[in-house]
Amino acid sequence: MIPAYSTIGSRVMLQHHHHHHQSARRRLLLIRRRLAEVSSSIISWIRDPSLCYQRCNRSYYHSHSQRELVRKYVGRQLSEYYAQPAENVVGRRGSLSDLTTETATTYESMEYDDSSPTTTNNPLTSLWGEWHWKRVFQKLYDSRQGHWLTPVELFKPYYSHILANFCANQAGRFLSSETVDDDSVFEIIELGCGRGTNAALILSNLKQSMPETYDRLGRYTLVDASPSLHKWQQSVLGNGEHSHKLEFTLVDLADVAEKKASLLSKSDTPTIVLGLEVLDNLPHDKVRGKTRKVLEQAEVHWDATSINRQQSMFPKEVFVPLTDPLLQMVVSKVPSFVSAYPRWVPSVACGVVQHLLHQRPNIAMALADFDWLPQPDLPPNPQGTTTTTAAATTTTTTTTVLQHVSEPAEGEPIVTDMSGQDHECYLTAPKYCDVLFPTNFQKVKMFVTKCLSRYQSKHLQVQIQKQSEFLQEWGPNEVIKTQSWTGHNPLLHDFVNCSVLTITFQQKNEDGQDGS
């Protein structure tokens, strides 16, 4: 007789084998289903590769989603651009003295003779009018390497000599004040110094033409955010005849504006600040007023449904309630920065100026920059055909020119890649692009005036001039030296879209009133 438990055991064993068989069938069906899904996905990805990026990036986006202020995003773009080797950014030296220029019928060598700038060796006075200048300028532009062709380099040494006159005048006014000791010194701070050409020319001019002012110059500080340009300046000027006057500072002005770094110590030392085409390269914010009381700031969010310039996630612009402390400070001082329509705001520039005014109450300043920029020079391919652009090295890559994806705003920048190709939007531009903003000088002046009233700096005057007016006021002799035979003067008639904001020291007359 078979024990009862054996029957029960056999039944259990049969049930176990039955369940095991069903489980294996379920696993097999699941595997088949998964294989079918993978096959379907592979076929879809082959037909449309962009689906691969969407599917793969979706889980990454949820775990690695990022957001940042627009100025942070633009700041990183500019940092990448200026982190390149110096020659990729500033190129070789570009001035008229580098050229063999065409005259009426022949080519003749035209070189500067600094010891006698009024001689026929002055290439500007040798020009045959505006048409000749345009031909020379185009030849120079075509022969350059890098993208910088500034007035300092183009009109050297005259442009810098005019700035030297401005510095000497303001230093004299400060140092002749009754409250200043006879042995007091002054300082010059230059923001964004490029090759260091302007500093070298100013110091040489002061030493040769105004030795007393040169002797009372305690320090000339060159400030730059680019590590490669910082090293370039040190290598060019660090061991020269003015090295005992020079100091080189590497600092990101965005950090200064956000109070993460300090540029100047607190001091009553008379200080003259020069900024030549530096405002246009400082990161900006974008704001809008949804209502009179509800202000919004633009942020860049990473969207996993498209592709960005690093071919991973596509950034998009989103407006959120305004909470950034720097931007709140700027808007509180100049509410007209905000309108219902989006506007670019020079928040970093304002933050830097506020720091300078706070740290140095005895300050003079000249900030020259573009007050207007033309529309970008885009290729005739609105649907996004391909163009060839140069990367940071000599290798060329093919890039798709994409359309504008950010919300258009007043004060749009020009975004230019290393090949000189403009791009419609900062969000779709490739890596290594220069981002150039126009400056609303009237609003910057309003900000400066508000800061000065808070610091009770009644001895300082704020003024905006077109660059040609500034040059004529501070350098009439240099202007004469740059006039062509027909009266056309490139120093005055070029860069007509540039203005200069100045802060000048006003001496008091005997009756106690401010005088010029």
Side-chain angles (χ1 to χ4, degrees):
M1 189 175 201
I2 301 174
Y5 68 83
S6 297
T7 305
I8 297 174
S10 298
R11 190 182 305 155
V12 170
M13 289 293 295
L14 287 172
Q15 290 177 346
H16 173 74
H17 286 296
H18 177 70
H19 287 307
H20 178 74
H21 180 66
Q22 287 184 329
S23 178
R25 288 185 60 188
R26 284 197 296 270
R27 286 197 297 271
L28 182 60
L29 289 173
L30 181 61
I31 291 173
R32 288 176 177 175
R33 190 178 303 164
R34 292 286 174 83
L35 287 173
E37 291 177 355
V38 170
S39 299
S40 177
S41 297
I42 291 174
I43 293 173
S44 299
W45 293 345
I46 292 174
R47 291 175 178 174
D48 186 0
S50 65
L51 294 175
C52 179
Y53 288 104
Q54 296 177 14
R55 182 72 61 84
C56 294
N57 285 333
R58 188 172 293 118
S59 61
Y60 180 87
Y61 174 73
H62 289 303
S63 60
H64 297 82
S65 60
Q66 297 183 34
R67 51 188 288 183
E68 62 184 349
L69 282 169
V70 165
R71 78 163 182 269
K72 300 284 189 181
Y73 184 88
V74 173
R76 288 193 295 103
Q77 284 183 307
L78 289 169
S79 294
E80 290 175 353
Y81 177 74
Y82 283 103
Q84 300 178 88
E87 59 272 12
N88 285 11
V89 180
V90 298
R92 64 186 292 275
R93 293 182 179 273
S95 73
L96 295 174
S97 58
D98 299 328
L99 289 178
T100 300
T101 58
E102 184 180 1
T103 60
T105 56
T106 61
Y107 285 90
E108 60 183 12
S109 179
M110 302 167 73
E111 297 182 351
Y112 284 116
D113 181 357
D114 290 341
S115 63
S116 180
T118 59
T119 66
T120 56
N121 286 331
N122 179 353
L124 290 172
T125 59
S126 301
L127 294 172
W128 284 32
E130 184 177 3
W131 69 270
H132 192 189
W133 162 248
K134 289 182 177 180
R135 177 174 294 186
V136 171
F137 181 83
Q138 187 62 49
K139 186 176 179 67
L140 176 61
Y141 188 84
D142 293 341
S143 67
R144 88 205 191 289
Q145 297 173 3
H147 297 283
W148 284 11
L149 203 56
T150 64
V152 166
E153 299 287 348
L154 193 58
F155 303 121
K156 66 181 184 182
Y158 308 109
Y159 190 93
S160 295
H161 285 182
I162 294 173
L163 292 171
N165 294 341
F166 174 82
C167 293
N169 177 278
Q170 292 302 300
R173 293 189 178 192
F174 278 121
L175 297 176
S176 63
S177 174
E178 296 178 355
T179 60
V180 177
D181 296 333
D182 293 338
D183 58 348
S184 297
V185 298
F186 73 102
E187 296 183 17
I188 298 177
I189 312 292
E190 185 177 349
L191 308 176
C193 307
R195 301 183 181 90
T197 303
N198 188 55
L201 292 172
I202 287 178
L203 289 169
S204 295
N205 186 252
L206 291 177
K207 185 175 182 179
Q208 295 172 11
S209 304
M210 295 162 272
E212 294 183 0
T213 303
Y214 181 84
D215 291 340
R216 297 192 70 174
L217 174 62
R219 181 170 53 195
Y220 192 120
T221 303
L222 292 84
V223 179
D224 220 295
S226 169
S228 58
L229 292 179
H230 176 69
K231 292 180 180 179
W232 179 308
Q233 295 154 14
Q234 289 178 312
S235 65
V236 172
L237 303 175
N239 297 318
E241 62 173 323
H242 309 296
S243 59
H244 62 291
K245 299 279 189 182
L246 292 170
E247 183 173 302
F248 303 90
T249 299
L250 179 64
V251 64
D252 190 338
L253 292 181
D255 290 338
V256 175
E258 296 173 357
K259 300 181 179 180
K260 297 177 181 178
S262 179
L263 178 58
L264 296 177
S265 59
K266 185 74 173 178
S267 172
D268 290 330
T269 301
T271 304
I272 302 167
V273 177
L274 303 176
L276 310 177
E277 296 186 18
V278 66
L279 299 180
D280 56 39
N281 260 169
L282 293 179
H284 284 48
D285 276 294
K286 187 184 286 189
V287 298
R288 72 181 181 189
K290 190 173 183 180
T291 66
R292 290 184 177 181
K293 295 184 178 180
V294 180
L295 307 182
E296 295 181 322
Q297 64 191 27
E299 293 182 343
V300 175
H301 292 202
W302 273 261
D303 184 355
T305 61
S306 302
I307 307 170
N308 76 341
R309 58 195 178 95
Q310 284 85 24
Q311 300 298 311
S312 57
M313 293 183 300
F314 190 79
K316 63 180 180 180
E317 202 175 76
V318 178
F319 280 89
V320 299
L322 195 156
T323 58
D324 177 65
L326 173 60
L327 196 49
Q328 287 177 329
M329 180 274 294
V330 174
V331 170
S332 67
K333 292 186 183 298
V334 186
S336 61
F337 265 130
V338 183
S339 70
Y341 188 78
R343 281 179 174 169
W344 287 98
V345 177
S347 49
V348 172
C350 290
V352 171
V353 168
Q354 184 191 48
H355 170 80
L356 295 171
L357 296 176
H358 180 265
Q359 298 298 95
R360 299 296 170 95
N362 294 323
I363 194 170
M365 191 178 298
L367 303 176
D369 226 303
F370 299 104
D371 52 36
W372 171 85
L373 290 172
Q375 292 296 314
D377 186 12
L378 300 174
N381 52 355
Q383 277 70 43
T385 60
T386 59
T387 58
T388 302
T389 59
T393 63
T394 56
T395 305
T396 58
T397 58
T398 301
T399 305
T400 301
V401 178
L402 301 176
Q403 294 184 358
H404 206 294
V405 299
S406 65
E407 187 164 350
E410 182 180 331
E412 282 288 318
I414 289 181
V415 184
T416 308
D417 63 30
M418 293 301 294
S419 70
Q421 174 63 60
D422 291 344
H423 292 262
E424 192 170 4
C425 179
Y426 73 99
L427 289 177
T428 58
K431 197 173 183 179
Y432 302 119
C433 277
D434 191 11
V435 184
L436 201 69
F437 290 91
T439 298
N440 188 324
F441 278 89
Q442 291 296 336
K443 295 194 184 303
V444 174
K445 178 184 177 181
M446 293 170 63
F447 180 85
V448 172
T449 303
K450 200 69 174 287
C451 291
L452 291 177
S453 65
R454 178 184 177 185
Y455 302 141
Q456 298 182 348
S457 303
K458 297 180 180 180
H459 62 292
L460 299 178
Q461 181 182 25
V462 188
Q463 185 180 12
I464 298 173
Q465 297 173 288
K466 293 298 290 185
Q467 182 167 270
S468 58
E469 298 171 348
F470 173 85
L471 297 174
Q472 287 176 308
E473 177 180 353
W474 297 102
N477 294 331
E478 282 71 18
V479 168
I480 293 174
K481 297 171 185 176
T482 56
Q483 187 167 293
S484 68
W485 290 1
T486 61
H488 178 75
N489 193 322
L491 185 65
L492 301 180
H493 301 151
D494 267 32
F495 294 91
V496 294
N497 59 332
C498 289
S499 291
V500 184
L501 183 144
T502 57
I503 301 176
T504 52
F505 181 75
Q506 300 300 303
Q507 291 175 315
K508 290 186 177 181
N509 299 324
E510 294 181 359
D511 59 1
Q513 299 297 320
D514 288 337
S516 60

